Amino acid sequence: MDSLRHELTRFIQQPAAQQDPPALYRRLLAEAPVLDLGPLYVVSGHQEVLTVLMNPGTNVDPTTVGLPRAGNTALLKVVNRMLPMRDGADHTRLKRLATAAFSHRRLEQMRERIETTAARLLAPLIAAGSFELVADLAVPLPVAVSCAILDVPDSEQDRITGWAGLVARAMLDPAGTGPGAAAIDAEFAEFHAYVEQLCAERTARPGDDLISRLATARGEGRLDTEELLAFVVMLLANGLETLTSGLAVAAWELIRTPVWPPGSATNPRWPPPCSTRPSGSAARSAPAPGH
């Protein structure tokens, strides 16, 4: 068990050790779906994760159990204001705004724009006869979709792709103490200013886009300025890792198994798309099954 703890600690602390996450995930599931690391537990088993997440004593804010909040950099302070990092009434309030923004009706309205965006990216790649799936499609697609939903010009996609990658890199150093933390904050200042300008423009001239709706919610007192900025940063960066990794995993599995057994195509058992992981803290005891 000590070797597994050592491997997991290296994985968390050293980006160079994160090259083959599935190998570590398989060890965790087979050897310790609930692993005691001393000050914290790592829960990886499916049923165990469900038990923890459904327990009312589980929080994402570490200060509820006496642990410091991650990071003091400007970017991580914004991350700490995002919906996934909030608990209780704040989480419910922000989730209500997100649910309204991504209702079934709104998603249907977005469908054509998203499909058009994907087709626009694919057309030159198919015409070229070959392409690099991740760099040419899986990386630009989530940012292009976010820009389409938020009514951000196509000309800004390269800049936003870089900023989305910046947020992802910062999440790999949740303490904000790595050697690149100062450089990340300097680059984030430009992203922050860009988002502030977007919000100011939509407040002055609201449209039917998501940023305008959130700006209106701020004017009505349903969220504050910091939450608005955090919401827009999250939406612009959202999906870069999950969709990018998910598309790569899907393509790899289709290459490995080009013909699926009957009935399995609609729900293939693919590996998880994410290499990073959300964390939580238990304000009360939440025993996992068998532990």
Side-chain angles (χ1 to χ4, degrees):
M1 199 64 68
D2 286 342
S3 68
L4 181 57
R5 291 191 181 97
H6 177 70
E7 183 179 347
L8 179 58
T9 300
R10 285 186 63 247
F11 178 83
I12 293 172
Q13 296 178 346
Q14 302 176 22
Q18 299 166 4
Q19 300 304 309
D20 187 18
L24 175 59
Y25 297 163
R26 285 191 292 268
R27 281 200 67 189
L28 287 168
L29 290 173
E31 300 177 32
V34 178
L35 181 63
D36 182 359
L37 285 184
L40 56 87
Y41 288 85
V42 174
V43 183
S44 52
H46 181 265
Q47 189 57 50
E48 290 83 356
V49 168
L50 283 180
T51 299
V52 171
L53 291 179
M54 295 179 69
N55 188 284
T58 300
N59 300 301
V60 296
D61 184 355
T63 61
T64 59
V65 291
L67 296 174
R69 194 184 294 273
N72 289 314
T73 67
L75 193 157
L76 288 173
K77 287 178 181 177
V78 170
V79 169
N80 285 330
R81 300 285 289 174
M82 292 179 181
L83 167 63
M85 307 304 295
R86 308 293 289 278
D87 287 316
D90 285 337
H91 181 88
T92 301
R93 171 174 54 84
L94 295 174
K95 186 175 181 180
R96 189 176 293 118
L97 289 171
T99 301
F102 291 100
S103 66
H104 178 72
R105 182 180 66 84
R106 290 290 298 169
L107 289 175
E108 284 300 314
Q109 293 173 347
M110 296 175 188
R111 180 189 296 274
E112 182 178 355
R113 193 164 185 182
I114 292 171
E115 290 177 345
T116 300
T117 299
R120 175 175 55 80
L121 286 174
L122 273 171
L125 303 179
I126 294 173
S130 65
F131 60 92
E132 210 290 318
L133 177 71
V134 174
D136 295 337
L137 180 64
V139 169
L141 180 59
V143 174
V145 169
S146 293
C147 289
I149 292 172
L150 299 175
D151 198 24
V152 173
D154 294 346
S155 59
E156 300 288 355
Q157 288 181 17
D158 287 345
R159 295 173 71 196
I160 291 171
T161 298
W163 288 329
L166 179 75
V167 175
R169 294 200 306 276
M171 296 299 287
L172 292 175
D173 178 24
T177 56
I184 286 176
D185 254 7
E187 191 175 347
F188 176 67
E190 184 181 355
F191 187 19
H192 193 281
Y194 177 82
V195 171
E196 283 187 318
Q197 181 181 350
L198 268 181
C199 294
E201 290 174 352
R202 304 298 166 83
T203 299
R205 294 180 294 279
D208 192 38
D209 59 278
L210 188 49
I211 297 177
S212 294
R213 290 171 178 268
L214 291 171
T216 298
R218 177 182 60 176
E220 296 170 350
R222 289 184 286 159
L223 77 168
D224 61 32
T225 297
E226 290 184 354
E227 289 169 338
L228 172 61
L229 293 171
F231 228 129
V232 176
V233 169
M234 180 184 72
L235 290 169
L236 286 171
N238 185 44
L240 183 62
E241 180 173 359
T242 50
L243 182 52
T244 297
S245 301
L247 285 171
V249 168
W252 173 245
E253 293 296 331
L254 287 172
I255 291 170
R256 287 177 45 186
T257 313
V259 179
W260 292 95
S264 66
T266 57
N267 189 27
R269 299 291 293 176
W270 290 342
C274 296
S275 61
T276 56
R277 61 274 156 218
S279 60
S281 54
R284 298 193 297 275
S285 174
H291 299 273

